[in-house]
Amino acid sequence: QVQLVESGGGVVQPGRSLRLSCAASGFTFNTYAMYWVRQAPGKGLEWVAVISYHGTIKKYADSVEGRFTISRDNSKNTLYLQMNSLRADDTAVYYCARDQREYSYGYPLPFWGQGTLVTVSS
Amino acid sequence: EIVMTQSPVTLSVSPGERATLSCRASQSVGTNLAWYQQKPGQAPRLFIYSASTRATGIPARFSGSGSGTEFTLTISSLQSEDFAIYYCQQYNDWPLTFGGGTKVEIK
């Protein structure tokens, strides 16, 4: 079955960097777009970034554009989120999620990981 | 950016009763609308997509309707496991946006 397992979260000081990973299994990773969605404590869901199945198309929320970079290694079935210049308002649980459709992007998200908590604090 | 507005913020319902959740988009999203359920400490779970299609394994007591800017999620007879937060999400345009959520609580 589809499994998405995030890792790399933790406590980091403002202005520092962190890289999240999402290990995927149970499906053909290189045929699906992948996403990062975050949720600040006690708040709602916020889409962060998407990467196409081949890795050539990337889109970002305005709130992270220029600071975060989404990438993937299809040989390792792994999704990444490089987060630079972190701010207190980046504190959230970060979920990776898979697109519904193969060879496309911008569709609903039927599979999610359990999330990894990033806390930005001095 | 398409703003998604959900109402009410909290819905108090007795088990066995019907629940109606609303979601409004600031501009038309066609039927590119999904509903997710989230329970405390868990990831969201896709319940409805294309405004009215139930995702795999979702019980028939859940139904979605609407198009354009007005959408509804109806739970015909609430079961104990249905008490949770429900989010709508549009995927008609970038950035993808979610509503603020409706918490369905036990009355």
Side-chain angles (χ1 to χ4, degrees):
Chain A
Q1 73 280 20
V2 174
Q3 274 201 307
L4 299 170
V5 180
E6 302 94 337
S7 61
V11 181
V12 60
Q13 293 179 329
R16 303 297 291 267
S17 300
L18 203 62
R19 188 177 84 156
L20 305 183
S21 300
C22 171
S25 60
F27 65 100
T28 307
F29 183 71
N30 62 7
T31 65
Y32 287 92
M34 296 295 295
Y35 299 72
W36 289 100
V37 177
R38 69 183 180 182
Q39 187 170 37
K43 302 298 184 182
L45 301 166
E46 179 188 17
W47 167 74
V48 173
V50 60
I51 185 168
S52 60
Y53 66 95
H54 40 49
T56 56
I57 297 173
K58 303 176 184 181
K59 294 182 181 291
Y60 300 92
D62 285 349
S63 57
V64 307
E65 180 86 59
R67 300 188 299 121
F68 289 12
T69 301
I70 190 171
S71 62
R72 63 191 297 159
D73 185 336
N74 285 343
S75 68
K76 296 182 178 179
N77 289 355
T78 302
L79 174 72
Y80 302 100
L81 185 67
Q82 178 66 42
M83 304 185 294
N84 298 333
S85 302
L86 282 161
R87 311 185 303 221
D89 62 358
D90 294 318
T91 294
V93 173
Y94 285 74
Y95 296 100
C96 69
R98 196 204 82 179
D99 201 287
Q100 185 181 53
R101 297 194 184 184
E102 287 186 291
Y103 305 113
S104 190
Y105 66 97
Y107 287 94
L109 307 176
F111 298 103
W112 297 62
Q114 85 289 350
T116 188
L117 176 61
V118 173
T119 302
V120 183
S121 174
S122 54
Chain B
E1 169 176 320
I2 298 175
V3 177
M4 307 300 292
T5 303
Q6 291 187 243
S7 61
V9 172
T10 303
L11 187 60
S12 298
V13 186
S14 299
E17 289 189 341
R18 181 185 191 92
T20 303
L21 289 66
S22 296
C23 175
R24 173 176 293 177
S26 61
Q27 62 190 77
S28 177
V29 298
T31 56
N32 295 315
L33 190 285
W35 291 92
Y36 297 84
Q37 179 196 69
Q38 188 179 34
K39 295 181 177 181
Q42 296 184 16
R45 180 184 177 188
L46 178 65
F47 262 50
I48 299 283
Y49 62 93
S50 298
S52 60
T53 304
R54 283 189 301 277
T56 303
I58 303 306
R61 63 180 181 273
F62 289 87
S63 63
S65 64
S67 66
T69 62
E70 300 284 343
F71 300 89
T72 300
L73 174 67
T74 302
I75 312 171
S76 61
S77 177
L78 271 158
Q79 306 298 304
S80 57
E81 62 267 30
D82 301 336
F83 292 97
I85 299 175
Y86 293 84
Y87 294 95
C88 62
Q89 178 229 335
Q90 67 80 21
Y91 50 97
N92 190 66
D93 199 5
W94 300 94
L96 304 182
T97 49
F98 292 86
T102 290
K103 181 180 181 179
V104 178
E105 64 176 24
I106 300 174
K107 186 175 182 180

